Amino acid sequence: MADNWSFVIAAYGLAVVVLAMYWRFLVRRERELDDAGVVRQQLRQAPGVSGHAQTEPGSRSPLP
């Protein structure tokens, strides 16, 4: 059993490295999505930036 400890330690070390890399990916992805949300919110606040006509909800005819 003593011969296998190096493999056990290597497996745990590899798991720590993979989880750390995945954590960094998630943090980076969250930052990108937050930045995109800020841009989207700024575009929503600016009038006429969307490029298409805005209609009033009451002016639409109901679907059959």
Side-chain angles (χ1 to χ4, degrees):
M1 180 76 174
D3 295 334
N4 294 332
W5 281 110
S6 60
F7 292 108
V8 171
I9 292 171
Y12 276 108
L14 181 61
V16 167
V17 169
V18 169
L19 288 174
M21 289 174 54
Y22 185 61
W23 184 267
R24 287 183 61 206
F25 167 76
L26 290 177
V27 168
R28 192 176 334 126
R29 181 75 173 148
E30 181 183 21
R31 237 182 271 136
E32 289 173 0
L33 291 175
D34 285 344
D35 292 344
V38 169
V39 170
R40 197 172 303 125
Q41 184 179 16
Q42 289 172 350
L43 288 175
R44 225 181 275 141
Q45 291 174 352
V49 175
S50 65
H52 57 83
Q54 298 288 327
T55 60
E56 294 295 323
S59 65
R60 296 184 188 165
S61 59
L63 294 174

